[in-house]
Amino acid sequence: MSTLSVDHLLGIKYLKAEDIQLIFETADHFKEIINRPIKKVPSLRDITIANLFFENSTRTKLSFEIAQKRLSADVINFSASQSSVKKGETLIDTVNNILSMKVDMVVMRHPTPGAAAFLQQHVDARIINAGDGAHEHPTQALLDTYSIKEKFGTIKGKNVVIVGDILHSRVALSNIFALQLLGAQVMVCGPKSLIPKYIRELGVIVETDLKKALQWCDVANMLRVQNERMEVSYFPSVREYTQQYGLNKELLDSIGKEIVIMHPGPINRGVEITSEVADSKQAIILDQVENGVAIRMAVTYLLASKIES
Ligand code: CP
């Protein structure tokens, strides 16, 4: 397979295992390039990309921008908080105005689930979903699974637990789809109130005891509690959440084996993970961030190759 089966990256749900393999092979190539003294290639010299962020971001926004610049694309950045969205302009009007400036591709983060798919139906550009509400975050899942593959050589047969606020997490859903496509077993672990009822229908194991989950897994992906998406309280207090679902060194040492620790960021140190664990050798959190650039270069490059000139 030398081309993606999709024209846009709206979610992992729309990808085949072969698409992910192609993205990984392309990312391997770009990872080698960005570790050279000259990190830039002229591949996308004729392409203009708009990064539209309607929600806050550090990693995803900067990682896409670096990836695009390493590929020599022209890049414009749009932040909703400083735009005419504040004056009442709609999403479609905003994007069509930006596209009139001859933009070929849009990377969008938006608080509404389905926003990227909605945009794709209404505008003429390649769309990459950089996170749509609690729905999907496909490039995060690609960089997470790429990092697991880099660590173990394969994903097939690995046990991966995703811990924490599954209910409000786009990272969880995209990771579940990607891990299953690549042959991993997936467990989710957290308080019952933060585990959606439909999750078992996806073929995922549900566990509420963190120690049992850690004993089962090869990899634990620790999620942040997404207070910004909660209108009510889902657990009695942060202190009690941390007591039951926070990962600390004592708990990690008690399971009698070494596992890999991941976190998509941003970390709430001392809540879902202690600094001692987050900064330990078992954690590959900064490797995930590094791999994010190569993965986003690969996705951008592969989708740009489908743009008709
Ligand atoms: N992991 C992630 O999406 O981080 P940001 O919200 O900082 O982009």
Side-chain angles (χ1 to χ4, degrees):
M1 191 165 166
S2 59
T3 186
L4 292 175
S5 68
V6 292
D7 292 335
H8 310 269
L9 182 61
L10 302 178
I12 302 291
K13 188 170 53 184
Y14 306 105
L15 298 184
K16 300 180 173 141
E18 294 78 21
D19 290 315
I20 300 184
Q21 294 303 349
L22 176 61
I23 292 167
F24 284 3
E25 282 162 25
T26 312
D28 285 343
H29 174 66
F30 285 129
K31 186 161 178 181
E32 190 263 312
I33 288 174
I34 59 181
N35 281 294
R36 289 181 193 165
I38 296 169
K39 301 171 173 59
K40 209 164 168 164
V41 287
S43 315
L44 300 191
R45 233 174 12 202
D46 302 326
I47 300 289
T48 304
I49 305 175
N51 296 319
L52 273 52
F53 279 72
F54 292 84
E55 220 186 45
N56 294 343
S57 169
T58 298
R59 278 145 293 272
T60 312
K61 189 165 183 274
L62 294 179
S63 177
F64 265 113
E65 189 175 341
I66 290 172
Q68 294 152 358
K69 287 180 172 167
R70 298 271 189 261
L71 291 166
S72 303
D74 289 322
V75 180
I76 54 170
N77 290 309
F78 167 94
S79 170
S81 59
Q82 292 158 5
S83 73
S84 293
V85 168
K86 289 277 167 209
K87 300 174 196 163
E89 193 166 30
T90 67
L91 174 63
I92 302 296
D93 281 343
T94 302
V95 177
N96 273 328
N97 275 271
I98 292 168
L99 294 183
S100 302
M101 301 174 207
K102 306 296 174 212
V103 166
D104 305 291
M105 194 180 283
V106 171
V107 175
M108 186 174 76
R109 170 167 289 189
H110 199 280
T112 308
F118 175 76
L119 189 66
Q120 187 264 307
Q121 284 161 11
H122 290 88
V123 305
D124 183 20
R126 302 288 145 177
I127 308 293
I128 299 179
N129 180 5
D132 58 334
H135 180 221
E136 279 229 38
H137 192 351
T139 54
Q140 181 69 45
L142 290 167
L143 74 87
D144 288 343
T145 46
Y146 183 82
S147 302
I148 296 172
K149 182 165 182 274
E150 190 175 63
K151 193 76 191 165
F152 292 102
T154 182
I155 292 168
K156 199 172 167 60
K158 295 294 165 213
N159 290 346
V160 181
V161 63
I162 306 169
V163 181
D165 181 2
I166 311 299
L167 185 66
H168 300 100
S169 174
R170 53 192 172 215
V171 174
L173 194 58
S174 288
N175 261 272
I176 289 168
F177 290 142
L179 287 163
Q180 288 181 335
L181 267 182
L182 298 171
Q185 285 90 44
V186 187
M187 174 185 280
V188 294
C189 177
K192 275 188 184 150
S193 58
L194 288 176
I195 295 181
K197 292 204 170 38
Y198 67 79
I199 209 90
R200 286 178 203 273
E201 290 164 28
L202 299 179
V204 167
I205 306 163
V206 176
E207 175 61 69
T208 52
D209 184 322
L210 180 58
K211 186 165 181 179
K212 284 186 187 160
L214 296 175
Q215 284 166 333
W216 172 86
C217 76
D218 301 299
V219 179
N221 195 351
M222 305 303 296
L223 302 182
R224 179 177 67 90
V225 173
Q226 307 218 4
N227 290 311
E228 72 275 22
R229 299 194 203 286
M230 295 182 187
E231 281 160 14
V232 293
S233 192
Y234 285 79
F235 43 82
S237 69
V238 173
R239 194 160 149 261
E240 279 158 287
Y241 178 85
T242 300
Q243 272 172 1
Q244 278 198 58
Y245 295 104
L247 184 56
N248 58 49
K249 185 149 188 323
E250 194 186 359
L251 179 58
L252 208 47
D253 288 346
S254 75
I255 63 170
K257 64 175 194 177
E258 189 154 311
I259 61 169
V260 170
I261 308 300
M262 301 175 70
H263 195 304
I267 298 174
N268 279 332
R269 287 175 181 261
V271 179
E272 70 274 9
I273 189 168
T274 60
S275 285
E276 197 175 12
V277 175
D279 300 333
S280 71
K281 285 206 176 87
Q282 281 174 258
I284 59 165
I285 298 167
L286 292 179
D287 299 325
Q288 291 170 255
V289 178
E290 181 184 341
N291 287 335
V293 176
I295 282 289
R296 290 180 174 116
M297 285 176 82
V299 166
T300 307
Y301 173 81
L302 290 166
L303 289 177
S305 71
K306 300 188 136 209
I307 295 172
E308 286 138 32
S309 48

